[in-house]
Amino acid sequence: MSTADNDQTFDYIIIGAGTAGCLLANRLTADPSKRVLLIEAGAKDDYHWIHIPVGYLYCIGNPRTDWLYQTEADAGLNGRRLRYPRGKTLGGCSSINGMIYMRGQQRDYQRWSEITGDDDWSWDRVLPYFKLHEDHYKGASGWHGAQGVPAELLTEGPADDPWRKVMRERQAGGEWRVEKQRLRWDVLDAFAQAAQQAGIPASEDFNRGNNEGVGYFEVNQRSGWRWNTAKAFLRPTCYARPNFELWTTAQVSRLLVETRADGLKRCTGVQVWTGTEMLTAHAAGEVILCAGAVGSPQILQLSGIGPAALLQQHGVPVVHDLPGVGENLQDHLQIRSVYKVQGVKTLNTLASSVWGKAMIGLEYLLKRSGPMSMAPSQLGAFTRSSPDQPYPNIQYHVQPLSLDAFGEPLHAFPAFTASVCNLNPTSRGHVRITSPRFEDAPAIAPNYLSTPEDRQVAADSLRVTRRIVAQPALAPYRPEEFKPGVQYQTDEELARLAGDIASTIFHPVGTTRMGRADDPMAVVDSHLRVRGIAGLRVVDAGVMPVITSGNTNSPTLMMAERAARWIMAGQ
């Protein structure tokens, strides 16, 4: 980080070198006439556990890589607070997440299109933007790979548009590597067979618009290593470009906003705390907030952009009253059922001895395979919580292991875990500052299970889990429900139980959501420009008006790809 001059001007300032920020830095610096500053509060991604897939166990809850947030006490969780991991390093959450490549369902984007009144968010329009940066292990096809992008997309726009040059280069292959997992487990194969016996079809690809089915997840890895967005989009391209500057361990304290004589408000730069001094950076073009569904609303509120009453409560001068900032928080809440098994290998037994751990380490060292190459979840399933549901509304993450919580020791007995989440929760929460100090964490209140609909889905999904496990395919392993326990049967008992044992799956979205001009709670328009503040966009999961039906990392990359197009075209 350069600190020789504490007042510097750039064309674009990107706040947050996470999933969206890294891609945007890559695309915007492709125009050599534009100077781009990328600001990251965390350190570089040179911690070895970031890159070993199983290292998420050592990154979550680690101040080197995690913001260490906690939720407020949640009534839906019977008063519990949850750890709320958010990536704090180059790559952001892509450096600590589950590495699962998932687009969601076609209907998600149709709903976005309806909410924003902009057909640019329909499935047919967003699909090419998933593919533009994708490097799929199966190669290019109608569904995958940068080489398979329609030619007309690469030629749209004026001839001198720098975005077109970037996109033509993508034909040589995308940056975002997608691979199949490098291990299988008999107990997971049996669960997949049981799911099919329970009426869930087999699936070889969850990413074709309808993800109903059961199968192994695809992951963002390359040859057994985690593939985060810093590797994909910053190295080697951005680091070699003279118009790119990166500041790490640098936390934005507030945005700078000027009000002109004609009343127009414009974001002109940022103030940044380096740990020893406060720097000012100015933007001739745009400031782009990519700090995530927690960080972006916090920065906006600290800068006087947000609900006026909240800002006044904490002594922050109101720059622009925007009531939706920090509201509409949505997340996927997973309910973890644990089943003891017999006569089959699980990680609990493999890792129960020094010798077993040594063999696991040796396999990874020699082959880049085995348990150390594991994503947190290997097998997935999408189905309906009840026959009344018109589409798949629950997702399973199935693991050949069990523990009380992430960071806790594995259980001493062989077991598997079937975690199930409600893909389309109706509960809504918020993110709100607790003081005018940028050092202080915001209050995060997801309000899980706060609606009758969500409580019913929770109860029904536990019954679906039991129905799958009761199928003949798993019978040889004599599964025994250890958690939650068969004594819980009624809707009320199961919903209360979900509040006792459920935990976040780390997919917060919606806190700076996009919407129509007449929507008073919309924070950004359909091109992700902050309403009422020129020169300012938000590009991260916070802009999703409703959560996608699956893991949220890849949809965030798609949105960043779209935003790069608009920014470079001045739209």
Side-chain angles (χ1 to χ4, degrees), residues 375-425:
S377 299
Q378 297 77 52
L379 187 76
F382 294 82
T383 188
R384 303 158 200 252
S385 60
S386 76
D388 298 332
Q389 295 291 337
Y391 40 70
N393 70 315
I394 57 175
Q395 176 184 6
Y396 281 90
H397 292 77
V398 192
Q399 306 143 339
L401 55 86
S402 67
L403 36 68
D404 289 331
F406 282 120
E408 298 293 321
L410 295 171
H411 290 143
F413 47 80
F416 70 86
T417 300
S419 297
V420 61
C421 74
N422 178 357
L423 290 169
N424 312 120

Short mmCIF file of all heavy atoms in Angstrom, two decimals, residues 375-425:
data_model
loop_
_atom_site.label_atom_id
_atom_site.label_comp_id
_atom_site.label_asym_id
_atom_site.label_seq_id
_atom_site.Cartn_x
_atom_site.Cartn_y
_atom_site.Cartn_z
N ALA A 375 -14.78 -29.96 0.21
CA ALA A 375 -15.60 -28.82 0.54
C ALA A 375 -16.37 -29.16 1.82
O ALA A 375 -16.50 -30.33 2.17
CB ALA A 375 -16.57 -28.52 -0.59
N PRO A 376 -16.88 -28.16 2.54
CA PRO A 376 -17.64 -28.47 3.75
C PRO A 376 -18.80 -29.44 3.51
O PRO A 376 -19.13 -30.22 4.39
CB PRO A 376 -18.16 -27.10 4.19
CG PRO A 376 -17.17 -26.14 3.65
CD PRO A 376 -16.72 -26.72 2.34
N SER A 377 -19.41 -29.37 2.32
CA SER A 377 -20.48 -30.30 1.96
C SER A 377 -20.17 -30.89 0.60
O SER A 377 -19.75 -30.18 -0.31
CB SER A 377 -21.83 -29.59 1.93
OG SER A 377 -22.16 -29.05 3.19
N GLN A 378 -20.39 -32.19 0.46
CA GLN A 378 -20.06 -32.86 -0.79
C GLN A 378 -21.30 -33.19 -1.62
O GLN A 378 -21.34 -32.98 -2.82
CB GLN A 378 -19.29 -34.16 -0.49
CG GLN A 378 -17.94 -33.93 0.18
CD GLN A 378 -18.10 -33.61 1.66
OE1 GLN A 378 -18.77 -34.32 2.40
NE2 GLN A 378 -17.49 -32.53 2.10
N LEU A 379 -22.32 -33.71 -0.97
CA LEU A 379 -23.53 -34.14 -1.68
C LEU A 379 -24.63 -33.12 -1.47
O LEU A 379 -24.81 -32.59 -0.37
CB LEU A 379 -23.99 -35.50 -1.15
CG LEU A 379 -25.14 -36.15 -1.92
CD1 LEU A 379 -24.65 -36.73 -3.24
CD2 LEU A 379 -25.79 -37.24 -1.07
N GLY A 380 -25.36 -32.83 -2.53
CA GLY A 380 -26.47 -31.89 -2.45
C GLY A 380 -27.76 -32.50 -2.94
O GLY A 380 -27.77 -33.46 -3.71
N ALA A 381 -28.86 -31.90 -2.50
CA ALA A 381 -30.17 -32.29 -2.99
C ALA A 381 -31.10 -31.10 -2.91
O ALA A 381 -31.04 -30.32 -1.94
CB ALA A 381 -30.73 -33.47 -2.19
N PHE A 382 -31.95 -30.97 -3.91
CA PHE A 382 -32.97 -29.93 -3.95
C PHE A 382 -34.32 -30.61 -4.16
O PHE A 382 -34.48 -31.40 -5.09
CB PHE A 382 -32.72 -28.94 -5.08
CG PHE A 382 -31.47 -28.12 -4.91
CD1 PHE A 382 -30.23 -28.64 -5.27
CD2 PHE A 382 -31.52 -26.84 -4.38
CE1 PHE A 382 -29.08 -27.89 -5.11
CE2 PHE A 382 -30.37 -26.08 -4.22
CZ PHE A 382 -29.14 -26.61 -4.59
N THR A 383 -35.26 -30.31 -3.27
CA THR A 383 -36.57 -30.94 -3.38
C THR A 383 -37.62 -30.04 -2.73
O THR A 383 -37.34 -28.88 -2.40
CB THR A 383 -36.54 -32.34 -2.74
OG1 THR A 383 -37.78 -33.01 -3.04
CG2 THR A 383 -36.34 -32.28 -1.24
N ARG A 384 -38.80 -30.59 -2.53
CA ARG A 384 -39.92 -29.81 -2.00
C ARG A 384 -40.20 -30.26 -0.57
O ARG A 384 -40.21 -31.45 -0.28
CB ARG A 384 -41.15 -30.01 -2.88
CG ARG A 384 -40.89 -29.63 -4.33
CD ARG A 384 -41.88 -30.30 -5.28
NE ARG A 384 -41.34 -30.31 -6.64
CZ ARG A 384 -41.78 -29.54 -7.63
NH1 ARG A 384 -42.80 -28.73 -7.44
NH2 ARG A 384 -41.21 -29.61 -8.82
N SER A 385 -40.47 -29.29 0.29
CA SER A 385 -40.73 -29.62 1.69
C SER A 385 -42.08 -30.30 1.87
O SER A 385 -42.30 -30.98 2.87
CB SER A 385 -40.65 -28.36 2.56
OG SER A 385 -41.61 -27.40 2.14
N SER A 386 -42.99 -30.11 0.91
CA SER A 386 -44.29 -30.78 0.94
C SER A 386 -44.84 -30.82 -0.48
O SER A 386 -44.41 -30.03 -1.34
CB SER A 386 -45.27 -30.04 1.87
OG SER A 386 -45.76 -28.87 1.24
N PRO A 387 -45.78 -31.69 -0.76
CA PRO A 387 -46.35 -31.76 -2.11
C PRO A 387 -47.03 -30.47 -2.55
O PRO A 387 -47.25 -30.26 -3.74
CB PRO A 387 -47.36 -32.91 -2.01
CG PRO A 387 -46.89 -33.73 -0.84
CD PRO A 387 -46.30 -32.75 0.13
N ASP A 388 -47.37 -29.61 -1.59
CA ASP A 388 -48.04 -28.35 -1.92
C ASP A 388 -47.09 -27.33 -2.55
O ASP A 388 -47.56 -26.35 -3.15
CB ASP A 388 -48.65 -27.73 -0.66
CG ASP A 388 -49.71 -28.63 -0.03
OD1 ASP A 388 -50.33 -29.42 -0.77
OD2 ASP A 388 -49.90 -28.55 1.20
N GLN A 389 -45.80 -27.54 -2.40
CA GLN A 389 -44.84 -26.57 -2.94
C GLN A 389 -44.75 -26.70 -4.46
O GLN A 389 -44.57 -27.80 -4.98
CB GLN A 389 -43.46 -26.79 -2.32
CG GLN A 389 -43.39 -26.52 -0.83
CD GLN A 389 -43.55 -25.05 -0.50
OE1 GLN A 389 -43.29 -24.18 -1.33
NE2 GLN A 389 -43.99 -24.76 0.72
N PRO A 390 -44.84 -25.59 -5.20
CA PRO A 390 -44.83 -25.67 -6.67
C PRO A 390 -43.44 -25.86 -7.27
O PRO A 390 -43.33 -26.12 -8.47
CB PRO A 390 -45.41 -24.32 -7.09
CG PRO A 390 -45.06 -23.39 -5.96
CD PRO A 390 -45.11 -24.23 -4.71
N TYR A 391 -42.39 -25.74 -6.47
CA TYR A 391 -41.02 -25.85 -6.98
C TYR A 391 -40.11 -26.29 -5.83
O TYR A 391 -40.50 -26.24 -4.65
CB TYR A 391 -40.54 -24.51 -7.55
CG TYR A 391 -40.98 -23.32 -6.74
CD1 TYR A 391 -40.45 -23.05 -5.47
CD2 TYR A 391 -41.96 -22.44 -7.22
CE1 TYR A 391 -40.86 -21.97 -4.73
CE2 TYR A 391 -42.39 -21.36 -6.47
CZ TYR A 391 -41.83 -21.13 -5.24
OH TYR A 391 -42.26 -20.05 -4.50
N PRO A 392 -38.89 -26.73 -6.13
CA PRO A 392 -37.97 -27.13 -5.06
C PRO A 392 -37.70 -25.94 -4.13
O PRO A 392 -37.24 -24.89 -4.59
CB PRO A 392 -36.70 -27.54 -5.81
CG PRO A 392 -37.15 -27.86 -7.18
CD PRO A 392 -38.31 -26.95 -7.46
N ASN A 393 -38.00 -26.11 -2.87
CA ASN A 393 -37.86 -25.00 -1.92
C ASN A 393 -36.95 -25.31 -0.75
O ASN A 393 -36.81 -24.49 0.16
CB ASN A 393 -39.24 -24.57 -1.41
CG ASN A 393 -39.86 -25.61 -0.49
OD1 ASN A 393 -39.83 -26.81 -0.79
ND2 ASN A 393 -40.40 -25.19 0.63
N ILE A 394 -36.32 -26.50 -0.74
CA ILE A 394 -35.35 -26.81 0.30
C ILE A 394 -34.10 -27.42 -0.34
O ILE A 394 -34.17 -28.03 -1.41
CB ILE A 394 -35.90 -27.78 1.38
CG1 ILE A 394 -36.41 -29.08 0.77
CG2 ILE A 394 -36.99 -27.09 2.20
CD1 ILE A 394 -36.85 -30.12 1.81
N GLN A 395 -32.96 -27.20 0.31
CA GLN A 395 -31.67 -27.67 -0.18
C GLN A 395 -30.96 -28.45 0.93
O GLN A 395 -30.93 -28.03 2.08
CB GLN A 395 -30.78 -26.50 -0.60
CG GLN A 395 -29.37 -26.91 -1.03
CD GLN A 395 -28.48 -25.72 -1.36
OE1 GLN A 395 -28.87 -24.56 -1.18
NE2 GLN A 395 -27.29 -25.98 -1.85
N TYR A 396 -30.37 -29.58 0.54
CA TYR A 396 -29.58 -30.39 1.46
C TYR A 396 -28.09 -30.20 1.19
O TYR A 396 -27.65 -30.16 0.04
CB TYR A 396 -29.92 -31.87 1.32
CG TYR A 396 -31.19 -32.27 2.02
CD1 TYR A 396 -32.41 -32.22 1.36
CD2 TYR A 396 -31.17 -32.67 3.36
CE1 TYR A 396 -33.59 -32.56 2.00
CE2 TYR A 396 -32.35 -33.01 4.01
CZ TYR A 396 -33.55 -32.96 3.34
OH TYR A 396 -34.71 -33.28 3.98
N HIS A 397 -27.33 -30.11 2.27
CA HIS A 397 -25.88 -30.24 2.26
C HIS A 397 -25.57 -31.46 3.13
O HIS A 397 -25.81 -31.44 4.34
CB HIS A 397 -25.20 -29.00 2.85
CG HIS A 397 -25.35 -27.77 2.02
ND1 HIS A 397 -26.53 -27.04 2.00
CD2 HIS A 397 -24.49 -27.12 1.20
CE1 HIS A 397 -26.36 -26.00 1.20
NE2 HIS A 397 -25.14 -26.03 0.69
N VAL A 398 -25.07 -32.53 2.50
CA VAL A 398 -24.88 -33.80 3.22
C VAL A 398 -23.38 -34.05 3.37
O VAL A 398 -22.62 -33.93 2.39
CB VAL A 398 -25.56 -34.96 2.49
CG1 VAL A 398 -25.60 -36.20 3.39
CG2 VAL A 398 -26.98 -34.57 2.06
N GLN A 399 -22.96 -34.42 4.57
CA GLN A 399 -21.54 -34.55 4.90
C GLN A 399 -21.27 -35.88 5.59
O GLN A 399 -22.08 -36.32 6.43
CB GLN A 399 -21.13 -33.41 5.85
CG GLN A 399 -21.48 -32.03 5.34
CD GLN A 399 -21.92 -31.08 6.43
OE1 GLN A 399 -22.33 -31.47 7.52
NE2 GLN A 399 -21.84 -29.80 6.15
N PRO A 400 -20.13 -36.53 5.29
CA PRO A 400 -19.80 -37.82 5.92
C PRO A 400 -19.10 -37.62 7.27
O PRO A 400 -18.07 -38.24 7.56
CB PRO A 400 -18.84 -38.44 4.89
CG PRO A 400 -18.11 -37.26 4.34
CD PRO A 400 -19.13 -36.14 4.28
N LEU A 401 -19.66 -36.77 8.09
CA LEU A 401 -19.06 -36.41 9.38
C LEU A 401 -20.14 -35.82 10.27
O LEU A 401 -21.25 -35.54 9.83
CB LEU A 401 -17.92 -35.40 9.18
CG LEU A 401 -18.26 -34.11 8.43
CD1 LEU A 401 -18.82 -33.03 9.35
CD2 LEU A 401 -17.05 -33.56 7.70
N SER A 402 -19.80 -35.60 11.53
CA SER A 402 -20.72 -34.92 12.44
C SER A 402 -19.93 -34.27 13.56
O SER A 402 -18.86 -34.75 13.96
CB SER A 402 -21.74 -35.91 13.02
OG SER A 402 -21.09 -36.85 13.87
N LEU A 403 -20.44 -33.15 14.02
CA LEU A 403 -19.87 -32.41 15.15
C LEU A 403 -20.96 -31.52 15.71
O LEU A 403 -22.01 -31.35 15.10
CB LEU A 403 -18.64 -31.60 14.72
CG LEU A 403 -18.61 -30.94 13.34
CD1 LEU A 403 -19.59 -29.80 13.19
CD2 LEU A 403 -17.21 -30.45 13.03
N ASP A 404 -20.72 -30.98 16.88
CA ASP A 404 -21.74 -30.14 17.51
C ASP A 404 -21.86 -28.79 16.80
O ASP A 404 -22.96 -28.25 16.68
CB ASP A 404 -21.42 -29.94 18.99
CG ASP A 404 -21.62 -31.21 19.80
OD1 ASP A 404 -22.48 -32.03 19.40
OD2 ASP A 404 -20.92 -31.38 20.82
N ALA A 405 -20.74 -28.24 16.36
CA ALA A 405 -20.72 -26.97 15.64
C ALA A 405 -19.37 -26.83 14.97
O ALA A 405 -18.39 -27.47 15.38
CB ALA A 405 -20.99 -25.80 16.59
N PHE A 406 -19.28 -25.97 13.92
CA PHE A 406 -18.00 -25.73 13.27
C PHE A 406 -16.99 -25.26 14.31
O PHE A 406 -17.27 -24.39 15.13
CB PHE A 406 -18.13 -24.69 12.16
CG PHE A 406 -18.72 -25.25 10.90
CD1 PHE A 406 -19.89 -24.75 10.37
CD2 PHE A 406 -18.08 -26.29 10.24
CE1 PHE A 406 -20.43 -25.26 9.19
CE2 PHE A 406 -18.61 -26.82 9.06
CZ PHE A 406 -19.78 -26.30 8.55
N GLY A 407 -15.81 -25.84 14.26
CA GLY A 407 -14.78 -25.52 15.24
C GLY A 407 -14.74 -26.48 16.40
O GLY A 407 -13.74 -26.52 17.13
N GLU A 408 -15.81 -27.27 16.58
CA GLU A 408 -15.84 -28.27 17.64
C GLU A 408 -15.25 -29.58 17.12
O GLU A 408 -15.21 -29.83 15.91
CB GLU A 408 -17.28 -28.49 18.11
CG GLU A 408 -17.95 -27.25 18.70
CD GLU A 408 -17.31 -26.83 20.01
OE1 GLU A 408 -16.95 -27.71 20.81
OE2 GLU A 408 -17.14 -25.61 20.21
N PRO A 409 -14.81 -30.47 18.03
CA PRO A 409 -14.26 -31.76 17.59
C PRO A 409 -15.32 -32.62 16.91
O PRO A 409 -16.52 -32.51 17.18
CB PRO A 409 -13.78 -32.39 18.90
CG PRO A 409 -13.70 -31.28 19.88
CD PRO A 409 -14.73 -30.28 19.48
N LEU A 410 -14.86 -33.50 16.03
CA LEU A 410 -15.75 -34.49 15.43
C LEU A 410 -16.24 -35.44 16.51
O LEU A 410 -15.55 -35.70 17.50
CB LEU A 410 -15.02 -35.28 14.34
CG LEU A 410 -14.56 -34.49 13.11
CD1 LEU A 410 -13.67 -35.36 12.24
CD2 LEU A 410 -15.75 -33.99 12.32
N HIS A 411 -17.44 -35.97 16.32
CA HIS A 411 -17.96 -36.95 17.27
C HIS A 411 -17.12 -38.23 17.25
O HIS A 411 -16.48 -38.55 16.23
CB HIS A 411 -19.42 -37.27 16.94
CG HIS A 411 -20.36 -36.14 17.22
ND1 HIS A 411 -21.45 -35.85 16.42
CD2 HIS A 411 -20.37 -35.20 18.21
CE1 HIS A 411 -22.10 -34.80 16.91
NE2 HIS A 411 -21.46 -34.39 17.99
N ALA A 412 -17.16 -38.95 18.34
CA ALA A 412 -16.33 -40.15 18.49
C ALA A 412 -16.93 -41.36 17.79
O ALA A 412 -16.28 -42.41 17.70
CB ALA A 412 -16.12 -40.45 19.97
N PHE A 413 -18.14 -41.26 17.29
CA PHE A 413 -18.82 -42.38 16.64
C PHE A 413 -18.97 -42.09 15.15
O PHE A 413 -19.00 -40.94 14.73
CB PHE A 413 -20.19 -42.60 17.27
CG PHE A 413 -21.00 -41.33 17.45
CD1 PHE A 413 -21.71 -40.76 16.39
CD2 PHE A 413 -21.04 -40.70 18.69
CE1 PHE A 413 -22.43 -39.59 16.55
CE2 PHE A 413 -21.77 -39.52 18.86
CZ PHE A 413 -22.47 -38.96 17.79
N PRO A 414 -19.08 -43.12 14.29
CA PRO A 414 -19.30 -42.89 12.86
C PRO A 414 -20.70 -42.30 12.62
O PRO A 414 -21.68 -42.76 13.22
CB PRO A 414 -19.17 -44.29 12.25
CG PRO A 414 -19.40 -45.23 13.37
CD PRO A 414 -18.94 -44.56 14.62
N ALA A 415 -20.77 -41.29 11.77
CA ALA A 415 -22.05 -40.61 11.55
C ALA A 415 -21.98 -39.77 10.28
O ALA A 415 -20.90 -39.48 9.76
CB ALA A 415 -22.38 -39.72 12.75
N PHE A 416 -23.15 -39.40 9.78
CA PHE A 416 -23.24 -38.40 8.71
C PHE A 416 -24.21 -37.33 9.14
O PHE A 416 -25.04 -37.53 10.06
CB PHE A 416 -23.65 -39.03 7.38
CG PHE A 416 -25.07 -39.51 7.30
CD1 PHE A 416 -26.11 -38.67 6.96
CD2 PHE A 416 -25.37 -40.85 7.56
CE1 PHE A 416 -27.43 -39.13 6.88
CE2 PHE A 416 -26.67 -41.32 7.49
CZ PHE A 416 -27.70 -40.45 7.15
N THR A 417 -24.10 -36.17 8.48
CA THR A 417 -24.97 -35.03 8.77
C THR A 417 -25.75 -34.67 7.51
O THR A 417 -25.16 -34.55 6.43
CB THR A 417 -24.15 -33.81 9.23
OG1 THR A 417 -23.43 -34.15 10.41
CG2 THR A 417 -25.05 -32.62 9.53
N ALA A 418 -27.04 -34.51 7.66
CA ALA A 418 -27.90 -34.03 6.56
C ALA A 418 -28.47 -32.68 6.98
O ALA A 418 -29.41 -32.61 7.78
CB ALA A 418 -29.01 -35.03 6.28
N SER A 419 -27.87 -31.62 6.47
CA SER A 419 -28.34 -30.26 6.78
C SER A 419 -29.33 -29.84 5.71
O SER A 419 -29.08 -30.01 4.52
CB SER A 419 -27.17 -29.29 6.81
OG SER A 419 -26.25 -29.60 7.83
N VAL A 420 -30.44 -29.24 6.13
CA VAL A 420 -31.45 -28.82 5.18
C VAL A 420 -31.80 -27.36 5.45
O VAL A 420 -31.90 -26.92 6.60
CB VAL A 420 -32.72 -29.71 5.27
CG1 VAL A 420 -33.37 -29.66 6.64
CG2 VAL A 420 -33.71 -29.37 4.17
N CYS A 421 -31.94 -26.58 4.38
CA CYS A 421 -32.29 -25.16 4.54
C CYS A 421 -33.49 -24.82 3.67
O CYS A 421 -33.74 -25.43 2.63
CB CYS A 421 -31.12 -24.26 4.20
SG CYS A 421 -30.74 -24.10 2.44
N ASN A 422 -34.24 -23.82 4.13
CA ASN A 422 -35.36 -23.24 3.40
C ASN A 422 -34.77 -22.27 2.38
O ASN A 422 -34.17 -21.27 2.73
CB ASN A 422 -36.27 -22.52 4.39
CG ASN A 422 -37.45 -21.83 3.72
OD1 ASN A 422 -37.60 -21.83 2.51
ND2 ASN A 422 -38.32 -21.24 4.54
N LEU A 423 -34.92 -22.57 1.09
CA LEU A 423 -34.33 -21.75 0.04
C LEU A 423 -34.96 -20.38 -0.08
O LEU A 423 -34.31 -19.44 -0.54
CB LEU A 423 -34.43 -22.48 -1.30
CG LEU A 423 -33.54 -23.70 -1.48
CD1 LEU A 423 -33.94 -24.45 -2.74
CD2 LEU A 423 -32.08 -23.31 -1.53
N ASN A 424 -36.22 -20.26 0.30
CA ASN A 424 -36.97 -19.02 0.06
C ASN A 424 -37.62 -18.51 1.33
O ASN A 424 -38.84 -18.44 1.44
CB ASN A 424 -38.04 -19.25 -1.01
CG ASN A 424 -37.49 -19.96 -2.24
OD1 ASN A 424 -37.93 -21.04 -2.60
ND2 ASN A 424 -36.50 -19.36 -2.89
N PRO A 425 -36.82 -18.16 2.33
CA PRO A 425 -37.40 -17.72 3.60
C PRO A 425 -38.21 -16.44 3.44
O PRO A 425 -37.87 -15.56 2.63
CB PRO A 425 -36.17 -17.48 4.49
CG PRO A 425 -35.07 -17.17 3.52
CD PRO A 425 -35.34 -18.04 2.33
#
